[in-house]
Amino acid sequence: MPREELTRLTGNGNGECGGDDCPNVYRTPSGSFVIQGSASSAFAPPGGEALVEIPEATLREAVRALGW
């Protein structure tokens, strides 16, 4: 899925990092979420899955953007 089809909920320049390489939360057209963050090796996830680490502030920003 191209990034252009996603709604970016975080990192729109309001925080300390607004570039594309920062941790971000995106919403897909179907309502699910895509998370961009640093790769984590906390444990080995099942095949086809990955772990990412994002700051709490990024999650809070996404919640505010959704109005929750």
Side-chain angles (χ1 to χ4, degrees):
M1 169 181 311
R3 186 183 288 191
E4 295 77 29
E5 293 181 19
L6 304 173
T7 300
R8 188 173 179 168
L9 300 175
T10 59
N12 292 314
N14 298 328
E16 60 185 64
C17 186
D20 288 341
D21 61 343
C22 299
N24 282 299
V25 178
Y26 299 87
R27 192 161 199 182
T28 68
S30 67
S32 63
F33 298 93
V34 174
I35 309 297
Q36 175 186 349
S38 300
S40 174
S41 58
F43 63 89
E49 295 183 5
L51 302 175
V52 298
E53 219 175 301
I54 62 172
E56 179 181 330
T58 302
L59 286 178
R60 290 182 182 275
E61 184 180 353
V63 168
R64 279 193 300 274
L66 291 167
W68 294 353

